[in-house]
Amino acid sequence: MSADARLSARLTAVDTAIADAAREAGRDPGELTRIVVTKFHPASLVRELVGLGVRDVGENRHQEATSKASELSDLELSWHFIGQLQSNKAKAVRRYASAVHSVDRSSVVSALAGETPLDVFVELNLTGDPGRGGVAVDELEPLANQVLSTPGLVLRGVMAVAPLGEDARRAFGRVRAASESLRRIAPAATAISAGMSGDFREAILEGATHLRIGTAITGKRPDAG
Ligand SMILES: *Cc1c(COP(=O)(O)O)cnc(C)c1O
């Protein structure tokens, strides 16, 4: 099989597995957004993915994302920023990103303010290790309130990565509970960004709406990091 055919086959296999998990959960697959995480892969791979019908791509480093976005500015793409974000980069990320999934600090929220709408997810830290990205569950509400009162930000919901060593279904169950409590103060913030290559089924079963899938679609990343 050629590299193109392999990419296409992996994309189809993942989309089939997503649809199966949605049916298992009694949900409509059409309500899920599958984001292909293209970090470390060249812009040429993103272009191939677009040829296969992909519209949502995820990147975790600003330098890499901004150069790909400018190289591919002829394409209709939604760029999702999913990595740790420094407030001094926030304005620049806003120029190409349609959504930022990794908002976890007051300074970043302020720096993301703007005149055009930007979708925002507040990242939850499920590990208990404060060195990891994301806020603890009890910091979710104050940060969400700040997003709600910041011009140009549209609070979509929560984002999380399942910790290593915890059952993914259980971890995503905690995300679902946090999402439900968030909706009491922000009824429109219904989205849950959760689920990667190894655990998107579990995420879908716990209500994920935005899946961030890399290697299961792209194959191994050219250089790990
Ligand atoms: C890299 C990354 C992903 C995708 O991971 P895979 O295991 O390759 O699917 C998803 N979310 C975040 C935040 C990432 O950094």
Side-chain angles (χ1 to χ4, degrees), residues 37 39 60 82 159 161 196-197 212-215 221:
V37 177
K39 63 191 185 194
N60 71 337
I82 63 172
M159 179 275 216
V161 175
M196 310 185 0
S197 290
R212 308 178 313 269
I213 302 179
T215 49
R221 286 186 270 275

Side-chain angles (χ1 to χ4, degrees), residues 13-154:
V14 166
D15 283 346
T16 303
I18 290 171
D20 288 347
R23 273 189 292 273
E24 186 183 349
R27 301 176 58 198
D28 173 6
E31 74 186 33
L32 303 177
T33 302
R34 179 256 295 122
I35 299 158
V36 184
V37 177
T38 50
K39 63 191 185 194
F40 301 105
H41 285 283
S44 57
L45 182 105
V46 181
R47 193 174 286 282
E48 278 179 57
L49 286 164
V50 171
L52 297 170
V54 169
R55 288 290 171 270
D56 292 275
V57 293
E59 289 284 337
N60 71 337
R61 294 190 303 188
H62 167 60
Q63 277 310 324
E64 185 181 339
T66 193
S67 83
K68 282 184 209 171
S70 74
E71 193 174 335
L72 299 171
S73 59
D74 59 310
L75 301 176
E76 243 182 68
L77 275 169
S78 294
W79 295 89
H80 296 254
F81 193 82
I82 63 172
Q84 288 216 0
L85 180 56
Q86 291 158 344
S87 38
N88 62 350
K89 304 273 168 64
K91 281 276 179 283
V93 166
R94 210 184 204 291
R95 272 180 224 123
Y96 57 85
S98 62
V100 176
H101 291 237
S102 40
V103 168
D104 65 356
R105 255 167 305 152
S106 177
S107 57
V108 167
V109 175
S110 309
L112 283 172
E115 273 152 31
T116 53
L118 176 72
D119 284 354
V120 159
F121 295 75
V122 174
E123 181 177 355
L124 289 169
N125 178 354
L126 301 178
T127 68
D129 169 2
R132 293 304 191 102
V135 297
V137 168
D138 61 354
E139 298 164 64
L140 172 60
E141 189 170 321
L143 197 61
N145 274 322
Q146 189 192 350
V147 172
L148 290 169
S149 62
T150 301
L153 298 186
V154 180

